[in-house]
Each structure stands twice: as C-alpha cells, then as structure tokens.
Amino acid sequence: MSTVTFNFSVTLDENEFIKVEDHLFTTRESLKREEPKVDLINPRCLSILKEFEGRLTMAVVQEWLLLSRALDQTCSYHSKWDDHKLLEELISGREHPVSWYIENCQEV
C-alpha cells in the first residue's frame, strides 16, 4: 500500500483561526485530520490568543496551555485565571514558579 500526499487550501473566517509561527490554531475540528500542524483550540482561547497576535511564539502558546492546565489542576478548577496577565508574563520572558501565578494571576 502506498501513500499519497494532497496539498489543499482552505478558506477560514478571521474569527476561526490564529497562526503562530508554522502552526494554525483553529476551532474547525475537521482540519486536524488533514494537517499535523493544525491544533484544535476552543473559541474562548482563540479569542484570547487573537489579542496577542503578532507577539506569540509556539513556545509561549505551549507554555500558556501547560500553565493553564497546571493552575486548574493545582486549584481544583475552582479559580479563574487572568489569561491576559499569564500571556503578558510569558511573552515578556519573565519566568515564575506556578505558585507565583497562583498568587498573582487569579481573576477577582
């Protein structure tokens, strides 16, 4: 059995995706099967990332996703996090332990 590679183009509305380096984050689940550099993201996260468009790197996005999960697990999903502050800290390159984020990045 052989494999065949297809190249295709797709048109997305601006509110359905964000491009970070060579990755595409989208709410369109069907694209994930077609392209390994397409990552699924929920609409809320997509809208937050759109606010930082042009300033993001894959390292920042991956760190934010991991940090968000760690904060949720550490605090049993009861706290809400200021994702804007989390991203600002990550984009600026300032490194903090998870405990710093717990103390400084909870939404009031």
Side-chain angles (χ1 to χ4, degrees):
M1 179 176 266
S2 64
T3 61
V4 177
T5 300
F6 292 97
N7 291 320
F8 64 94
S9 64
V10 63
T11 302
L12 297 171
D13 290 336
E14 191 171 303
N15 64 346
E16 294 180 312
F17 76 97
I18 184 169
K19 186 169 188 212
V20 178
E21 294 175 2
D22 63 350
H23 269 67
L24 180 70
F25 289 86
T26 182
T27 56
R28 301 277 295 276
E29 186 174 350
S30 61
L31 293 178
K32 180 63 179 165
R33 292 186 306 263
E34 307 300 330
E35 174 58 51
K37 290 185 179 180
V38 172
D39 296 293
L40 296 180
I41 194 164
N42 68 45
R44 180 187 149 304
C45 291
L46 177 62
S47 67
I48 292 167
L49 290 178
K50 290 291 253 181
E51 295 177 38
F52 294 91
E53 196 165 11
R55 298 173 54 200
L56 297 171
T57 63
M58 275 308 294
V60 166
V61 173
Q62 289 172 335
E63 186 68 23
W64 174 62
L65 294 171
L66 288 172
L67 180 59
S68 294
R69 283 187 214 117
L71 291 171
D72 286 344
Q73 290 175 355
T74 300
C75 299
S76 302
Y77 296 93
H78 294 297
S79 297
K80 297 217 182 264
W81 306 106
D82 183 347
D83 288 299
H84 297 91
K85 188 167 184 178
L86 294 173
L87 282 164
E88 285 291 349
E89 292 295 313
L90 294 170
I91 289 169
S92 71
R94 293 187 284 267
E95 294 187 21
H96 305 289
V98 172
S99 60
W100 184 93
Y101 290 101
I102 291 171
E103 294 172 13
N104 295 286
C105 296
Q106 287 190 26
E107 284 187 354
V108 180

